[in-house]
């Protein structure tokens, strides 16, 4: 965890991480502009973790992830994919809304990194799906390209990870655009992976995240 972020003990539960995130004051600009911290949500039986970029305006007001337009699209795509909401935890790379919905800055992502690290440890999901390039880069580095990686089952920290588009891209390009089509297909694949019998975790390949062909 970066030095100035709120520390979280190694044995932290999901709720402990959420409490630490709520009291975090590491990013002065985000602290000044946020209404509520949005730590993420994890139902007790969650096996899938969806990771987005950062809360938007509606999430900032209610303190819950993906409740705005992107979230409503996500809910309908999850339903189409046959994935029960009780199996789905949702979090973001950055837990506070960047002002004006700008992209989170590298320093903000780095200060917030420990929260998502601890959420992964606490939840130990059978599968992670990253939504958008910020989340893909969090797991696999800045070279990660959604268009080329999304058809592969990747691994990070011994866990299976699928990389997909952010629902806001699906909204921007419309229901016939590539991001909407791909996101629906990727969530359907996530549903099939969760429904298949087999080990929850995949063996570790590489140190943190691994890309095909050894890219980082
Ligand atoms: N976009 C995100 O990346 N996360 C949210 O929680 C909402 C919108």
């Amino acid at each position: 965890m970066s030095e100035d972020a709120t520390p979280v003990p190694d044995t932290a539960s999901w709720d402990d991480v959420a409490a630490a995130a709520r009291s975090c004051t590491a990013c002065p600009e985000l602290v000044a502009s946020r209404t509520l911290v949005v730590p993420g949500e994890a139902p007790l039986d969650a096996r899938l973790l969806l990771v987005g970029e950062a809360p938007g305006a509606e999430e900032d007001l209610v303190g819950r992830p993906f409740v705005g337009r992107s979230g409503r699209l996500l809910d309908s795509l999850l339903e189409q994919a046959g994935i029960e909401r009780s199996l789905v935890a949702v979090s973001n790379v950055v837990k506070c809304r960047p002002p004006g919905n700008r992209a989170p800055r590298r320093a903000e992502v780095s200060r917030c990194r420990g929260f998502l690290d601890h959420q992964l440890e606490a939840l130990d999901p059978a599968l992670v799906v990253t939504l958008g390039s910020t989340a893909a880069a969090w797991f696999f580095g800045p070279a990660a390209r959604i268009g080329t990686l999304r058809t592969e089952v990747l691994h990070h920290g011994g866990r299976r990870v699928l990389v997909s588009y952010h629902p806001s891209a699906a909204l921007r390009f419309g229901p016939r655009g590539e991001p909407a089509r791909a996101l629906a297909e990727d969530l359907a694949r996530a549903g099939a992976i969760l429904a298949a019998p087999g080990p929850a975790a995949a063996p570790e390949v590489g140190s943190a995240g691994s890309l095909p062909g050894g890219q980082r």
Side-chain angles (χ1 to χ4, degrees):
M1 191 152 201
S2 99
E3 276 174 17
D4 41 359
T6 302
V8 181
D10 281 345
T11 54
S13 67
W14 182 280
D15 289 346
D16 294 336
V17 182
R22 284 194 187 95
S23 66
C24 186
T25 55
C27 301
E29 194 186 350
L30 303 191
V31 172
S33 64
R34 76 186 178 201
T35 310
L36 291 172
V37 176
V38 184
E41 290 181 347
L44 274 182
D45 294 333
R47 297 181 59 228
L48 169 64
L49 175 63
L50 301 179
V51 180
E53 179 177 278
E58 292 182 61
E59 290 79 15
D60 172 72
L61 287 179
V62 297
R64 300 185 56 210
F66 282 104
V67 293
R69 272 187 85 209
S70 289
R72 290 191 287 279
L73 175 63
L74 203 52
D75 283 347
S76 74
L77 292 176
L78 286 167
E79 195 180 334
Q80 257 179 52
I83 301 176
E84 274 180 48
R85 285 299 269 125
S86 65
L87 296 180
V88 184
V90 187
S91 193
N92 284 301
V93 166
V94 167
K95 313 301 190 209
C96 297
R97 181 191 182 215
N101 284 353
R102 66 160 168 75
R105 301 198 203 290
R106 204 166 347 147
E108 293 162 352
V109 170
S110 149
R111 288 185 208 111
C112 223
R113 187 166 189 98
F115 294 132
L116 184 51
D117 267 335
H118 282 94
Q119 286 178 324
L120 284 162
E121 286 295 312
L123 188 69
D124 194 21
L127 180 66
V128 176
V129 177
T130 66
L131 304 171
S133 53
T134 299
W138 191 95
F139 282 86
F140 299 111
R145 294 286 167 268
I146 298 169
T148 49
L149 293 177
R150 53 165 286 271
T151 53
E152 315 256 354
V153 178
L154 305 172
H155 297 118
H156 180 277
R159 294 186 184 89
R160 291 175 293 188
V161 181
L162 297 181
V163 164
S164 193
Y165 292 101
H166 196 283
S168 66
L171 289 168
R172 195 168 340 119
F173 289 92
R176 288 174 202 272
E178 163 67 9
R181 192 196 57 72
L183 181 56
E185 192 178 294
D186 298 341
L187 290 176
R189 190 143 35 93
I193 290 172
L194 291 174
E204 177 78 2
V205 186
S207 56
S210 62
L211 299 181
Q215 309 161 55
R216 271 305 313 268

